[in-house]
């Protein structure tokens, strides 16, 4: 291959989901045996940004009481065995390759951990890989990299019985440390809350000495952190309840942690969708997080829904797949699977690209994604298609997107199907964006809405757009053989696009 095929796809590169190395990652099943929960996740879809084909969690509490007894919780052992037996049957029913199973702090620390591992192998046939704290930190940090290829900062993964830290720099996992600061292990410490707080401070001081402080961003991984983030959203009345890439300033988080200490958590639990088992760990986890932020002094805290399970998938990826943009790969997969004309998104992007030629790379990336997704909800009822577009994108399992970028992408797709956003039931969510970004999303949507009228293989070869912002002019040039495509509806959409740009429209038919 001379590389021309790759170049023809522009800056985003040829999609890889049909590559043999990528296909081998589809329908990968992972079992995570944690101190608090046991979970089966089956990944599917675009390998670089996989969807969760199946996801089941059982709150077994294997690590409950381990601090006092040194052994796994007997009831938790029974529940975990039943859950894993079920997972094996599910995997067989899905025709999955052998499951990958890892066990973390509870199993590695308990004196009966080896016995439990042998029991699982005997009863279910599943080989359990018990990983140490540093390996757990590495895999969790790789999970963060699956969602954030350009992540830089400090990853913190909290489980039931342990807490791991890892430095992430330039797409690589650096220094890693592990500690016993899991809420199940901290609860019931002798000396009460005062002794627990002092213990947390002492351990964090040692970790800071070993791994360093002042990391710009803190990436939070783990169920207890996610429960706290949901409470932060609830307290702030935040309009987009997507945990992945949710960001908090240290001062805002400090206010929430203080509020958690005063509010009736049982009363607010139903508003956040958090289980009672998980919520019971929140007060102790809050004490850890409060001191974690004080010790490491990040400028921003971000929540990652990706962790050790995604890190195991990332482990299997070849380097060239790791380097790809998870958003673009996921959008391409969605287009191939659901669009009426798979491949048209690339041509649509080429057609409207002159309108975003001077935009930053990050914005052009969103426009590319929007073009790939512009027609994947065509089966929805026409009266609701615009809302389905917005809802799907803002809540989809997509990596590499901030919340602002999610809403921008969703709003652009909303305007792909509807000129106006008045009386839209998602109006409150638009407040995440600036007025300028709302206007830009509308323009991109209207450009796609117009470009879709040239539903031929390569619209940019029969018609072209030229924006002259200083003159406030939008020029459309159409080849004579395609002039018939510029009917009444197309003309109205072109006029609407020009109005959105604040430009005067001009049309030229070229022989």
């Amino acid at each position: 291959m001379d590389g021309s095929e790759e170049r023809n796809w522009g800056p985003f590169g040829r999609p890889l989901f049909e590559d043999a190395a990528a296909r081998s990652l589809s329908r990968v099943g992972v079992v995570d045996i944690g101190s608090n929960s046991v979970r089966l996740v089956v990944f599917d879809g675009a390998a670089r940004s996989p969807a969760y084909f199946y996801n089941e969690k059982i709150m077994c509490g294997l690590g409950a009481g381990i601090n006092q007894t040194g052994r796994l919780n007997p009831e938790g052992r029974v529940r975990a065995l039943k859950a894993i037996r079920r997972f094996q049957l599910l995997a067989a029913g899905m025709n999955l390759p052998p499951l990958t199973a890892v066990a973390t702090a509870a199993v590695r620390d308990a004196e009966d951990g080896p016995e439990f591992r042998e029991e699982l192998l005997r009863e279910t046939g599943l080989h359990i890989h018990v990983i140490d704290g540093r390996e757990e930190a590495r895999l969790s940090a790789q999970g963060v990299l699956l969602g954030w290829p350009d992540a830089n900062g400090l990853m913190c993964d909290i489980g039931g019985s342990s807490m791991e830290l890892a430095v992430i720099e330039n797409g690589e996992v650096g220094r890693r440390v592990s500690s016993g600061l899991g809420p199940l292990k901290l609860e019931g410490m002798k000396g009460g809350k005062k002794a627990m707080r002092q213990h947390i401070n002492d351990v964090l001081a040692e970790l800071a000495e070993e791994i360093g402080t002042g990391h710009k961003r803190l990436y939070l991984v783990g169920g207890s952190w996610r429960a706290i983030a949901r409470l932060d959203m609830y307290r702030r009345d935040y309009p987009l309840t997507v945990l992945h890439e949710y960001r908090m300033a240290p001062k805002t988080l400090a206010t929430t942690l203080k509020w958690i200490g005063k509010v009736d958590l049982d009363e607010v639990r139903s508003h956040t969708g958090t289980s009672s088992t998980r919520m019971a760990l929140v007060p102790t986890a809050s004490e850890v997080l409060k001191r974690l932020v004080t010790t490491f002094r990040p400028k921003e805290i971000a929540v990652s829904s990706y962790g050790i399970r995604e890190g195991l998938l990332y482990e299997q990826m070849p380097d060239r797949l790791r380097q790809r943009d998870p958003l673009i790969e996921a959008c391409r997969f969605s287009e191939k699977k659901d669009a009426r004309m798979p491949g048209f998104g690339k041509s649509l992007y080429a057609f409207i690209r002159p309108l975003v030629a001077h935009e930053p790379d990050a914005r052009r990336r969103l426009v590319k994604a929007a073009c790939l997704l512009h027609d994947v909800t065509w089966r929805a009822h026409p009266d609701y298609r615009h809302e389905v577009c917005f809802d799907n994108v803002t809540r989809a399992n997509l990596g590499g997107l901030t919340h602002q970028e999610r809403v921008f992408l969703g709003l652009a797709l909303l305007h792909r199907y509807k000129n106006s956003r008045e009386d839209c039931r998602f109006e409150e969510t638009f407040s995440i964006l600036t007025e300028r970004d709302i206007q830009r999303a509308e323009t991109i949507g209207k450009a796609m809405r117009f470009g879709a009228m040239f539903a031929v293989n390569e619209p940019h070869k029969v018609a072209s757009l030229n924006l002259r912002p200083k003159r406030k002019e939008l020029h459309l040039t159409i080849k004579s053989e395609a002039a018939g495509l510029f009917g009444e509806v197309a003309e109205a959409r072109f006029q609407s696009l020009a109005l959105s740009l604040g430009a005067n429209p001009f049309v030229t038919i070229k022989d």
Side-chain angles (χ1 to χ4, degrees):
M1 195 170 99
D2 63 3
S4 60
E5 194 176 14
E6 182 77 13
R7 286 196 300 274
N8 288 341
W9 282 87
F12 302 101
R14 172 170 285 280
L16 287 180
F17 49 77
E18 290 187 339
D19 183 276
R23 279 203 307 274
S24 69
L25 298 179
S26 63
R27 291 288 172 89
V28 172
V30 174
V31 176
D32 178 8
I33 304 170
S35 302
N36 200 38
S37 65
V38 175
R39 187 191 294 262
L40 167 68
V41 173
V42 180
F43 298 104
D44 194 9
R48 187 58 188 82
S49 185
Y52 294 91
F53 179 78
Y54 192 84
N55 192 342
E56 183 174 321
K57 175 180 67 177
I58 306 295
M59 302 296 285
C60 297
L62 273 171
I66 198 171
N67 222 22
Q68 291 75 39
T69 67
R71 298 177 66 82
L72 296 170
N73 174 15
E75 182 185 342
R77 281 187 57 161
V78 173
R79 296 185 70 189
L81 178 59
K82 288 177 65 176
I84 292 169
R85 190 178 285 126
R86 169 176 162 77
F87 293 165
Q88 282 285 63
L89 290 171
L90 287 170
M94 296 178 204
N95 295 316
L96 298 181
L99 296 174
T100 299
V102 294
T104 53
V107 176
R108 72 172 173 252
D109 293 344
E111 62 183 58
D112 58 340
E115 174 193 314
F116 177 60
R117 185 180 172 192
E118 290 172 9
E119 181 184 23
L120 287 176
L121 178 60
R122 186 173 62 253
E123 296 291 331
T124 71
L126 190 63
H127 291 266
I128 310 299
H129 302 281
V130 181
I131 57 176
D132 64 25
R134 285 172 55 82
E135 178 67 357
E136 185 176 351
R138 187 183 72 86
L139 289 172
S140 293
Q142 285 192 164
V144 171
L145 286 170
L146 183 79
W148 277 293
D150 58 350
N152 275 285
L154 183 67
M155 185 284 309
C156 179
D157 180 5
I158 194 168
S161 297
S162 69
M163 187 187 80
E164 282 69 40
L165 298 172
V167 175
I168 304 174
E169 289 180 305
N170 303 318
E172 299 288 339
V173 181
R175 289 162 293 165
R176 312 182 302 278
V177 291
S178 181
S179 72
L181 294 182
L184 284 175
K185 206 161 191 177
L186 291 171
E187 288 182 341
M189 276 189 65
K190 291 180 180 179
K193 282 189 177 181
K194 185 176 180 181
M196 180 182 72
R197 288 168 181 161
Q198 185 59 53
H199 175 69
I200 293 170
N201 284 335
D202 292 344
V203 172
L204 286 173
E206 292 175 8
L207 297 178
E209 186 71 25
E210 190 170 347
I211 207 166
T213 60
H215 305 279
K216 182 178 178 182
R217 184 172 295 142
L218 178 64
Y219 297 92
L220 298 180
V221 175
S224 293
W225 295 154
R226 291 193 294 272
I228 291 172
R230 286 191 184 96
L231 289 167
D232 186 74
M233 287 178 169
Y234 174 72
R235 183 189 68 81
R236 294 174 57 198
D237 197 23
Y238 188 73
L240 184 62
T241 54
V242 174
L243 285 169
H244 189 62
E245 267 274 22
Y246 179 62
R247 302 193 182 192
M248 299 170 282
K251 285 186 178 179
T252 302
L253 178 58
T255 301
T256 295
L257 294 175
K258 188 179 293 185
W259 173 81
I260 286 172
K262 297 175 181 178
V263 75
D264 184 341
L265 292 178
D266 285 334
E267 187 177 319
V268 301
R269 186 175 66 80
S270 61
H271 297 286
T272 63
T274 306
S275 70
S276 56
T277 308
R278 179 70 70 190
M279 192 64 87
L281 301 178
V282 163
T284 304
S286 295
E287 293 288 347
V288 177
L289 186 54
K290 186 187 303 180
R291 285 153 181 78
L292 181 73
V293 173
T294 302
T295 301
F296 287 94
R297 305 189 305 278
K299 294 181 180 178
E300 184 180 53
I301 298 101
V303 178
S304 173
S305 292
Y306 299 165
I308 190 170
R309 295 173 291 275
E310 291 74 17
L312 285 164
L313 183 66
Y314 191 84
E315 181 87 348
Q316 301 175 56
M317 289 183 183
D319 284 340
R320 67 193 186 95
L321 185 54
R322 291 180 180 183
Q323 293 165 11
R324 301 307 288 265
D325 186 325
L327 173 64
I328 299 301
E329 292 298 310
C331 292
R332 279 188 167 136
F333 184 83
S334 183
E335 183 195 37
K336 183 181 189 320
K337 182 169 63 75
D338 295 323
R340 281 176 289 194
M341 296 174 60
F344 182 71
K346 172 176 172 278
S347 299
L348 179 60
Y349 174 70
F351 179 68
I352 71 172
R353 188 174 181 180
L355 304 183
V356 295
H358 301 293
E359 293 274 10
D361 289 344
R363 178 58 55 80
R364 290 204 303 272
R365 170 179 176 262
L366 292 181
V367 176
K368 175 73 171 182
C371 289
L372 293 169
L373 296 176
H374 88 103
D375 196 40
V376 299
T377 53
W378 66 272
R379 292 181 185 274
H381 190 283
D383 291 349
Y384 302 103
R385 204 171 283 159
H386 63 292
E387 291 191 344
V388 171
C389 278
F390 185 88
D391 199 32
N392 282 354
V393 168
T394 53
R395 300 179 193 280
N397 177 57
L398 294 172
L401 271 178
T402 66
H403 279 203
Q404 287 79 10
E405 289 172 332
R406 277 182 183 272
V407 176
F408 183 94
L409 183 56
L411 190 54
L413 289 165
L414 182 150
H415 281 292
R416 151 67 180 96
Y417 283 110
K418 191 175 182 182
N419 268 327
S420 172
R421 58 182 172 274
E422 290 181 6
D423 301 321
C424 177
R425 63 190 178 94
F426 301 112
E427 191 170 357
E428 184 183 5
T429 312
F430 304 159
S431 63
I432 291 176
L433 299 179
T434 65
E435 283 299 322
R436 187 175 187 280
D437 281 345
I438 290 174
Q439 178 59 39
R440 288 301 292 153
E442 177 183 324
T443 298
I444 299 304
K446 290 186 174 183
M448 292 189 294
R449 185 170 171 81
F450 171 60
M453 298 300 294
F454 293 85
V456 292
N457 288 335
E458 296 180 295
H460 60 292
K461 291 188 177 180
V462 298
S464 62
L465 292 169
N466 182 16
L467 177 64
R468 300 174 182 175
K470 290 184 178 179
R471 296 184 182 181
K472 295 186 177 180
E473 295 176 354
L474 177 64
H475 289 260
L476 171 67
T477 302
I478 310 174
K479 289 187 176 181
S480 57
E481 65 265 29
L485 293 172
F486 193 63
E488 290 182 16
V489 176
E491 183 177 1
R493 291 185 179 183
F494 180 61
Q495 296 282 347
S496 179
L497 171 60
L499 182 64
S500 178
L501 288 163
N504 295 312
F506 296 87
V507 180
T508 302
I509 308 297
K510 184 178 179 181
D511 292 331

